[in-house]
Amino acid sequence: MALGILFFSWKKDNGAYNHAAVVTGNNQGVVRIAQHGFNDRDTLAAIMARNRTGPNPIVEVGALRPMSR
């Protein structure tokens, strides 16, 4: 069951979100992500570390999650 969707924007995208990933788990603050192009069991921390520097870093992450019932 998906716990939410994350949207990513990189510096060169001028504020547009052009990538999405599905949150598949959250275990004691370790957010697990499924996405295309990388390991399908990646973590949000690993994604942010990989894209923190360089010519086109991630500048914004948006989150969409379902309301609890």
Side-chain angles (χ1 to χ4, degrees):
M1 173 172 59
L3 301 175
I5 301 172
L6 296 179
F7 299 95
F8 297 87
S9 177
W10 279 263
K11 183 178 180 180
K12 292 181 181 178
D13 295 330
N14 296 321
Y17 293 99
N18 73 352
H19 184 74
V22 177
V23 177
T24 59
N26 182 353
N27 186 4
Q28 297 179 347
V30 177
V31 178
R32 297 267 176 211
I33 305 293
Q35 63 176 336
H36 69 88
F38 282 96
N39 182 340
D40 65 352
R41 301 203 190 283
D42 220 340
T43 66
L44 181 57
I47 293 167
M48 297 307 291
R50 251 192 331 264
N51 295 283
R52 183 172 287 131
T53 60
N56 196 25
I58 290 174
V59 294
E60 193 166 19
V61 178
L64 176 65
R65 63 181 186 158
M67 292 177 51
S68 61
R69 293 182 182 202

